[in-house]
Amino acid sequence: MRRARMGMNILAAALLVAQAGGTTAADLPAWRRAARSRDSVEALEGRALLAAHYRREGDLEQAFAALKGLGELTPLNLQDPRSLAFAEYARCLAASGELLAAFRLLDYASTRISGVGKIWIEEARAFCLALNRRPQDALVCCEAAAGQCAADLKELNALSETDAADGRRRRLLTEAQARLAAAIDDLRFEVASERFGRDYALYCKAQRWRLAGTLAEADGVYQTVIESGKAELFR
């Protein structure tokens, strides 16, 4: 059975969790049903979600099976909603240790894709860069994707009339916005750790949470810094 490569770094593991979007294995039957749907949009989304679940579980054989035909370098696979599955295929390649192949897919897409698909491609590129231990580059990708997410949502919210396709797009963008916010937080921590050390990175993270009003989380991180014996360095 094809399995995810071992030795995945802490940041990449955090991104794996962030990209789960708060879902659990309990959602698996629903994804399987969606993947078999006669509605092509629902089926493609279901296949992408199913593959992402198998990837996070380390079962890449099942993940690639769910994405059969959706990782080919063709313009069709860059169209919405196939672009969601195309981006997931790149993540699966990276998780299996085939980073060069993953970047080849993403490079192909980046100059040809438009619309909401650009967000999926940048998000997938950030995942691959994190696996390649390039957190600063991954952070740039996530921030760019988050910026487009915010702009697209603003455009949608300004519409006087919307249809089912707009509703689906809003849902996907809102979910992506939450994933990207979590990934950006993890990446900023990783970048700060590399530059200034883990304790200072923890302190900065606690400060961000305090300013955001999430005091319980901030207090927990402050306590970790205090226990390290280096809290006096940041006063």
Side-chain angles (χ1 to χ4, degrees), residues 21-32:
T23 54
T24 68
D27 299 300
L28 190 56
W31 295 333
R32 285 175 173 155

Side-chain angles (χ1 to χ4, degrees), residues 2-179:
R2 196 172 184 182
R3 292 280 175 182
R5 66 175 186 171
M6 302 300 292
M8 201 174 283
N9 62 54
I10 293 173
L11 169 64
L15 286 176
L16 278 167
V17 174
Q19 288 165 357
T23 54
T24 68
D27 299 300
L28 190 56
W31 295 333
R32 285 175 173 155
R33 286 194 299 273
R36 297 191 298 269
S37 173
R38 293 181 179 179
D39 181 296
S40 61
V41 173
E42 184 180 358
L44 286 163
E45 270 192 51
R47 290 171 67 184
L49 287 167
L50 196 57
H53 166 78
Y54 287 131
R55 168 176 57 79
R56 290 190 297 269
E57 293 296 309
D59 189 349
L60 293 170
E61 184 177 348
Q62 290 270 41
F64 282 118
L67 296 171
K68 186 177 180 181
L70 296 172
E72 297 173 2
L73 300 180
T74 64
L76 178 63
N77 281 337
L78 303 185
Q79 295 176 15
D80 183 44
R82 297 175 78 93
S83 57
L84 194 66
F86 185 87
E88 178 55 39
Y89 195 95
R91 285 196 192 92
C92 290
L93 284 174
S96 68
E98 298 179 50
L99 273 169
L100 288 179
F103 282 123
R104 187 161 56 248
L105 258 68
L106 298 172
D107 289 343
Y108 172 84
S110 63
T111 57
R112 296 171 173 84
I113 202 164
S114 60
V116 70
K118 278 186 172 293
I119 296 171
W120 317 144
I121 295 304
E122 286 302 300
E123 191 179 14
R125 188 182 294 277
F127 174 79
C128 296
L129 288 166
L131 279 181
N132 204 25
R133 300 185 183 275
R134 294 164 60 187
Q136 181 61 59
D137 293 335
L139 178 58
V140 170
C141 288
C142 279
E143 288 176 338
Q148 185 178 339
C149 236
D152 286 0
L153 279 169
K154 183 178 180 180
E155 179 183 299
L156 270 175
N157 292 333
L159 295 176
S160 57
E161 294 183 9
T162 58
D163 56 19
D166 292 325
R168 170 185 170 271
R169 188 172 163 222
R170 180 180 285 108
R171 171 179 59 80
L172 291 174
L173 287 169
T174 302
E175 291 170 356
Q177 196 170 50
R179 288 196 308 271

Side-chain angles (χ1 to χ4, degrees), residues 187-208:
L187 287 162
R188 284 177 176 166
F189 176 78
E190 184 77 1
V191 169
S193 294
E194 286 191 354
R195 291 181 178 175
F196 308 113
R198 180 176 179 275
D199 293 304
Y200 183 73
L202 283 170
Y203 173 76
C204 291
K205 189 168 191 172
Q207 289 285 77
R208 288 197 300 274

